[in-house]
Amino acid sequence: MTRSELADLIAKQYPSLGNKYIEEVVKIILDYMSSTLSQGKRIEIRGFGSFSLHYRAPRRAHNPKTGQVFQLGCQHVPHFKPGKELKQSVNDAVAMAT
Amino acid sequence: MTAQTKADIVEALNQSKFVNKKESKALVQAFFDTLSDALIQGNNVKLSGFGNFILREKSARPGRNPKTGQEVTISPRRVVTFKAGQKLKKEVTRLAKNNTP
């Protein structure tokens, strides 16, 4: 499912608001989440999960193509931890199917 | 460091002046509910500019109860993983450059 398909599904629940409007809402939500993370803050959504940053220590890396070695500075990478409810429902869906 | 919650996202939506205040709470809830439902139904969700939520099937593997040391088999399961997109990764990396520990 893509971003616009997600917006369409939400729009179906709010027929009075229109697709364009919902797409803008989805954009604002995602932009806000991105900027929150890039400020180094955590996001916690009950039942869904939490987004945080994981630190990567500086390391020496090399370009696999040229073999050139260079120093890579420390990094932060976004990380998502699914919440209890989401974890369970995603797995239950499979358990029920089998 | 305080975590941002759903209420903060609702507030951000309010401040955008784009959305009716009454609607924003319902819309944020609908956003996460719809996203969850898609994953529960077994669909991967790709949000361009943000990242991809990918489902992975894990097969059974041996495990151990850390408390009792008893060996158990961890049942096969489906889990949600998240891979940040290029844009989000770039934005976050900028942070590391600005405040090196």
Side-chain angles (χ1 to χ4, degrees):
Chain A
M1 189 167 80
T2 62
R3 186 168 165 158
S4 55
E5 285 165 351
L6 176 67
D8 286 351
L9 279 177
I10 300 170
K12 266 193 199 143
Q13 302 163 45
Y14 296 90
S16 56
L17 298 180
N19 283 26
K20 277 269 154 55
Y21 181 90
I22 299 291
E23 278 198 32
E24 186 59 29
V25 167
V26 168
K27 186 179 179 294
I28 295 170
I29 293 176
L30 291 176
D31 284 352
Y32 179 73
M33 288 171 66
S34 296
S35 73
T36 301
L37 282 171
S38 50
Q39 286 160 33
K41 289 186 205 149
R42 261 167 58 85
I43 306 169
E44 214 177 285
I45 310 293
R46 267 296 132 81
F48 182 74
S50 62
F51 296 88
S52 59
L53 297 181
H54 278 188
Y55 173 74
R56 295 275 179 270
R59 63 188 172 95
R60 286 175 64 187
H62 61 270
N63 183 332
K65 218 175 198 171
T66 62
Q68 198 182 21
V69 176
F70 58 93
Q71 188 65 34
L72 194 63
C74 68
Q75 283 180 316
H76 282 89
V77 290
H79 180 257
F80 172 67
K81 188 175 173 215
K84 213 181 222 172
E85 265 177 61
L86 180 64
K87 235 186 196 170
Q88 250 162 23
S89 344
V90 162
N91 194 39
D92 285 352
V94 193
M96 269 196 273
T98 48
Chain B
M1 187 168 72
T2 52
Q4 300 285 290
T5 62
K6 216 153 46 191
D8 298 298
I9 302 177
V10 171
E11 188 52 37
L13 211 50
N14 280 339
Q15 273 173 14
S16 71
K17 304 231 164 75
F18 180 76
V19 178
N20 176 333
K21 277 196 185 189
K22 254 195 255 161
E23 285 162 4
S24 33
K25 202 176 170 190
L27 285 170
V28 171
Q29 188 63 53
F31 172 80
F32 288 107
D33 285 350
T34 310
L35 186 51
S36 301
D37 282 346
L39 292 168
I40 292 166
Q41 283 160 28
N43 300 316
N44 293 335
V45 181
K46 301 187 172 186
L47 303 175
S48 64
F50 189 70
N52 299 344
F53 293 90
I54 308 288
L55 296 165
R56 290 188 155 273
E57 309 290 338
K58 300 279 188 186
S59 46
R61 62 188 168 91
R64 208 180 270 278
N65 182 332
K67 223 179 209 166
T68 63
Q70 195 187 13
E71 272 193 56
V72 287
T73 304
I74 298 171
S75 57
R77 61 195 61 212
R78 179 184 282 172
V79 296
V80 184
T81 62
F82 174 71
K83 212 172 163 220
Q86 283 297 326
K87 198 177 151 226
L88 177 59
K89 260 193 208 160
K90 238 184 224 164
E91 273 180 48
V92 165
T93 314
R94 221 171 292 146
L95 159 88
K97 279 187 185 137
N98 292 339
N99 40 14
T100 334

